[in-house]
Amino acid sequence: MDARPSWMLAMWRGFRNRCPHCGEGRLFGRFLKVRPACEACGLELHHHRADDLPPYLVIFVVGHLVGLGVLETEMRLDVPFWFQMTFWPALALIASLLLLQPTKGAVVGLQYALGMHGFSAIRRAGAQGADSSGRHVTETRDGGRTDGRELGSGHP
């Protein structure tokens, strides 16, 4: 039986600041700093490559919501200019800060569920990510291993 969560469950766990594998340990050590490993199940989390996707998604969502709010306010209400110039930027800033961490967690969860960026080696070996010799084996973006050996080389 495969104990790995579905991609939706892994993303939901990441969105809630939880480990995408077990759902117990916290994903972030600081605001946007992902922990090196889960404190509950030991899953290595340093493999993630969330990079620019979370801010892009947040800008996309917040920009559309705030833009719609500005447009509807201008079309339907007579609101003073000073209020618009303070309310909408403040709303955009607050909404962006509130959505950035959960969005990054969901992206890390999706990468885990799809086996991207080194998570595939961990998923094959189990939650701990160690090979039979006890060393941690990790894939790089080009398919190699971070311990200097190529995958499938047959050498220990």
Side-chain angles (χ1 to χ4, degrees), residues 46-63:
H46 63 87
H47 305 292
H48 80 88
R49 296 285 181 258
D51 299 332
D52 294 337
L53 183 60
Y56 173 78
L57 294 174
V58 169
I59 290 169
F60 185 80
V61 169
V62 171

Side-chain angles (χ1 to χ4, degrees), residues 7 23 25 43 45 51-52 61 69 82 93 99 112 117 124 145 147 149:
W7 65 271
L43 173 72
L45 297 166
D51 299 332
D52 294 337
V61 169
W82 67 266
L93 178 65
L99 283 176
Y112 167 76
H117 309 297
R124 283 193 302 266
R145 291 168 118 160
D147 62 359
R149 298 179 290 148

Side-chain angles (χ1 to χ4, degrees), residues 52-81:
D52 294 337
L53 183 60
Y56 173 78
L57 294 174
V58 169
I59 290 169
F60 185 80
V61 169
V62 171
H64 277 82
L65 293 176
V66 170
L68 178 65
V70 168
L71 180 66
E72 288 296 320
T73 302
E74 282 294 317
M75 298 295 287
R76 299 179 190 272
L77 303 172
D78 186 23
V79 179
F81 184 70

Side-chain angles (χ1 to χ4, degrees), residues 27-50:
L27 186 61
F28 294 99
R30 286 181 271 153
F31 181 62
L32 290 176
K33 179 75 172 168
V34 176
R35 293 177 180 271
C38 175
E39 56 200 14
C41 70
L43 173 72
E44 291 180 359
L45 297 166
H46 63 87
H47 305 292
H48 80 88
R49 296 285 181 258

Side-chain angles (χ1 to χ4, degrees), residues 5 8 24-25 41 43 50 54-55 57 60 62 66 78 104 108 111 113 120 130 136 138 154 156:
M8 288 178 55
E24 298 296 322
C41 70
L43 173 72
L57 294 174
F60 185 80
V62 171
V66 170
D78 186 23
K104 184 172 182 176
V108 171
Q111 289 177 355
S120 60
H136 291 279
T138 311

